[in-house]
Amino acid sequence: MENSVATRLCLMTTAERLFAERGINAVSAREIAVAAGQRNTNAVKYHFGSPQGLVDAIFEYRMGPINARRTELIALFDRQGRAQDPYALAEAFVLPLAELLDRLHDSPSGGSWYLRFCVQAAYTVHPDVVTFAPDDLGQSPWTTGLKELNARALKLPGGNLPDRLALRRWQHFAGFVTRALAERELRQGIDPHFVAGGTALYVADLVDAGVGILTAPCRPETLALAASETPPEPIRKPGAP
């Protein structure tokens, strides 16, 4: 049993790295097994059943600790009376992801190629996979914090955004933050000595920029376009990270 758990973890972290570096469609299950040192080249199918099962397992493995940290921050900010503070919302989204940057690659308790994996997974279409990102927030215990932040973002006080634009703003915010952190993760991976300002300053500035996305007022022209757009443009639900 212990050996099986270790094998699953090795396959997940290997797949995460290869997916992050090359893209999900560019990596086969056989390549993952070989790179993970498995003699059985069908190891991915044996342990995860399908590409969807493997990707879901990676999300669950990484987002479990992220979700715990995120819900902890939400509770802390609520006790501080910051439940409707957009900066608290942004910090609760950003900090658990940014903290991955300070940990070692491939450590069972640490960081990974997860941020780059998320960017690849969110925009990949695969014939054997229904979706690469957990779109239905709250469907799993490891997306509850993300669901709560999304709900709060749609009800930020003082905004003039229609619901559809508020949801799109959340998508812009989540995408911007994830890509920014993924780029920093990439730079650190290429050069362990990479420094572009202190991490604390980088994260603080990223939070400020994210709040700008969430709270910037709409121009009258944008509101008019939103009101006249029929039928409504399909909007993808926000997913990981």
Side-chain angles (χ1 to χ4, degrees), residues 4 17 26 32 36 48 59 79 81 85 136 141 158 172 192 220:
S4 178
R17 173 176 60 82
I32 294 168
F48 303 100
F59 273 123
R79 290 195 299 272
D85 180 357
D136 187 5
H172 291 330

Side-chain angles (χ1 to χ4, degrees), residues 81-106:
R82 301 177 64 196
Q84 294 185 305
D85 180 357
Y87 289 93
L89 186 156
E91 287 174 17
F93 184 91
V94 172
L95 292 180
L97 299 176
E99 288 164 358
L100 293 174
L101 298 175
D102 295 326
R103 301 173 189 164
L104 295 176
H105 282 298
D106 234 1

Side-chain angles (χ1 to χ4, degrees), residues 27-110:
V27 181
S28 70
R30 179 184 177 87
E31 286 179 284
I32 294 168
V34 171
Q38 299 299 305
R39 287 179 292 179
N40 177 10
T41 55
N42 290 318
V44 169
K45 183 176 182 180
Y46 175 80
H47 285 279
F48 303 100
S50 66
Q52 179 75 66
L54 173 59
V55 171
D56 287 347
I58 294 171
F59 273 123
E60 181 175 4
Y61 173 64
R62 293 302 182 191
M63 288 188 69
I66 290 171
N67 188 67
R69 173 66 169 142
R70 190 166 278 151
T71 53
E72 176 186 272
L73 287 171
I74 292 171
L76 171 64
F77 294 147
D78 285 355
R79 290 195 299 272
Q80 295 173 344
R82 301 177 64 196
Q84 294 185 305
D85 180 357
Y87 289 93
L89 186 156
E91 287 174 17
F93 184 91
V94 172
L95 292 180
L97 299 176
E99 288 164 358
L100 293 174
L101 298 175
D102 295 326
R103 301 173 189 164
L104 295 176
H105 282 298
D106 234 1
S107 167
S109 61

Side-chain angles (χ1 to χ4, degrees), residues 27 47 68 113 157 183 187 205 207 210 219 229:
V27 181
H47 285 279
W113 289 261
E183 180 182 5
R187 289 176 177 270
D205 185 52
V207 167
R219 297 173 297 161
E229 191 179 76

